[in-house]
Amino acid sequence: MDGEELTAQQTALYDRQIRVWGVDAQKRLSKANVLVSGLNGTLAEFCKNIVLAGVGSLTLMDDRLVTEDAIHANFLITPEEAKQSGSSLAEVYCNSLKEFNPMVHVSVEKGDLHQFAGVFLDKFDVVVISCCSLKDKIVINNKCRERQKRIAFYTVECRDSCGEIFVDLQSYAYAKKNSDGTDECHLEYSSLEEAISTSWRYLPKKTTKTYFAMRVLEHFESLQNRKPCQISGSDLPHVLKMRKNLCEAQGLNEFHIPDILLNRLVAAGAREHPPVCAILGGILGQEVFKAISGKGEPIKNFFYFNAADGKGIIDDIPPPASVC
């Protein structure tokens, strides 16, 4: 691989993982620049993982002030910090993460990412977002796609004991080992806007119920401009009505989105379940490393985890044009 060699200090620090994935992969990781916008317990896990692995730089964006509610599923915030006023989540994360690995450059960028011009994204290889509206996710994803270089894009959401990761690597090539050596494989990804526009009636029967439940909750949040149960504990009837209307419009039987699943997700609101954060953060870190290194088959294009059955499921949701 072209580029600077690892320093003796880097080689010594990352010796164990170099033995697993090789020097070239570590060099790519050490040159990669990652942007994370919207911070929560899941992304605390993710940030910790990539900082320990030796990513080149990590830029954090989240101007929300730290509150005591934020420490529920977040080991990067101490109770003392939660009681202090004036510190943003990004600033507290930054200070904590620097202690994990001083060789990684961790910094804070103020502002709302969806309002930044696309040129701002050019300095990043990976963009990961959470804690924002579906509209903002789509705007940021489309800006990534408009840049000349390929920017790997991810969204992640943890709702109590369920989690969702979306991956858009655009046009992506990777190496896959087989018995005869290594094959060069190629994948074409849908944008988030394209993927969620596909009519439910055309999706495979094996599509996980969590996919549909997440879309119902997104619809509620888009109309109400808030999370379920954020200001009212009686949102479930409204969500169930939306499910009925969406299923009728999309040609899907309501049994694909069980009451018990929606009830659990609605009651959770914005709350995260710490063990699920650890799982999602670990999976997301692994996927980002694959995208940077070009090694291993990546997720295409949704990943779901449900603690109720302990299963992780990959759903490849195609764009509308390929199923009609």
Side-chain angles (χ1 to χ4, degrees):
M1 173 188 170
D2 295 331
E4 297 179 359
E5 297 297 321
L6 296 174
T7 65
Q9 188 178 7
Q10 287 175 314
T11 302
L13 180 61
Y14 306 129
D15 175 72
R16 183 176 299 178
Q17 59 206 48
I18 288 173
R19 294 173 187 270
V20 175
W21 54 56
V23 173
D24 282 351
Q26 187 63 46
K27 286 165 63 178
R28 290 187 179 97
L29 183 63
S30 298
K31 292 173 62 179
N33 302 306
V34 177
L35 172 66
V36 175
S37 176
L39 301 174
N40 52 25
T42 301
L43 287 179
E45 289 281 350
F46 166 73
C47 290
K48 177 261 294 180
N49 291 338
I50 63 168
V51 165
L52 289 175
V55 71
S57 74
L58 174 63
T59 302
L60 306 170
M61 297 185 72
D62 198 322
D63 294 338
R64 292 177 297 165
L65 297 181
V66 174
T67 64
E68 293 192 39
D69 290 340
I71 68 175
H72 168 70
N74 200 322
F75 61 87
L76 292 179
I77 304 173
T78 65
E80 292 73 22
E81 288 171 322
K83 294 177 182 178
Q84 296 175 0
S85 60
S87 295
S88 71
L89 284 170
E91 290 167 338
V92 172
Y93 272 54
C94 182
N95 293 335
S96 296
L97 289 166
K98 285 179 177 178
E99 297 179 4
F100 281 82
N101 189 349
M103 296 183 68
V104 174
H105 179 68
V106 185
S107 63
V108 172
E109 183 76 36
K110 293 185 179 294
D112 293 325
L113 181 57
H114 74 279
Q115 295 179 346
F116 280 56
V119 67
F120 170 75
L121 300 171
D122 287 343
K123 53 187 162 182
F124 301 106
D125 303 291
V126 176
V127 172
V128 181
I129 62 174
S130 187
C131 306
C132 66
S133 68
L134 173 62
K135 179 181 177 181
D136 289 348
K137 291 175 182 176
I138 290 173
V139 167
I140 298 165
N141 184 202
N142 289 341
K143 286 181 180 179
C144 288
R145 284 182 152 254
E146 291 166 0
R147 310 316 302 164
Q148 282 192 323
K149 76 169 187 177
R150 182 182 63 83
I151 301 174
F153 174 85
Y154 302 82
T155 69
V156 60
E157 296 295 338
C158 178
R159 297 177 184 267
D160 193 48
S161 57
C162 291
E164 175 186 72
I165 296 172
F166 170 77
V167 181
D168 178 14
L169 302 183
Q170 302 180 37
S171 182
Y172 179 71
Y174 67 98
K176 184 176 182 180
K177 289 184 178 180
N178 58 37
S179 57
D180 298 323
T182 303
D183 287 335
E184 181 81 5
C185 301
H186 186 268
L187 293 173
E188 291 292 335
Y189 282 76
S190 307
S191 69
L192 177 60
E193 185 174 24
E194 290 171 334
I196 64 172
S197 296
T198 300
S199 176
W200 295 355
R201 62 168 57 89
Y202 297 123
L203 294 181
K205 292 182 179 180
K206 65 178 183 178
T207 302
T208 179
K209 294 176 173 60
T210 311
Y211 171 83
F212 300 114
M214 291 292 193
R215 306 290 78 80
V216 173
L217 293 181
E218 283 175 348
H219 187 67
F220 174 89
E221 291 165 4
S222 296
L223 292 178
Q224 300 293 325
N225 197 30
R226 62 177 176 85
K227 296 283 188 182
C229 292
Q230 189 171 335
I231 60 175
S232 171
S234 58
D235 283 330
L236 183 59
H238 301 291
V239 173
L240 293 176
K241 184 177 180 180
M242 286 184 182
R243 176 194 62 180
K244 181 176 185 298
N245 293 337
L246 285 172
C247 285
E248 288 177 352
Q250 298 272 4
L252 185 76
N253 195 302
E254 286 185 61
F255 79 80
H256 283 284
I257 318 175
D259 287 6
I260 190 171
L261 175 59
L262 279 179
N263 190 13
R264 181 152 49 96
L265 296 178
V266 168
R271 187 176 68 247
E272 298 177 286
H273 192 42
V276 178
C277 291
I279 292 169
L280 291 175
I283 295 293
L284 182 58
Q286 174 180 289
E287 291 304 308
V288 167
F289 174 75
K290 289 179 187 177
I292 292 170
S293 68
K295 289 189 173 184
E297 184 174 0
I299 287 172
K300 183 176 183 288
N301 48 356
F302 285 90
F303 172 82
Y304 292 95
F305 179 78
N306 190 337
D309 57 19
K311 292 181 179 178
I313 297 174
I314 296 174
D315 275 330
D316 183 1
I317 306 297
S322 66
V323 297
C324 295

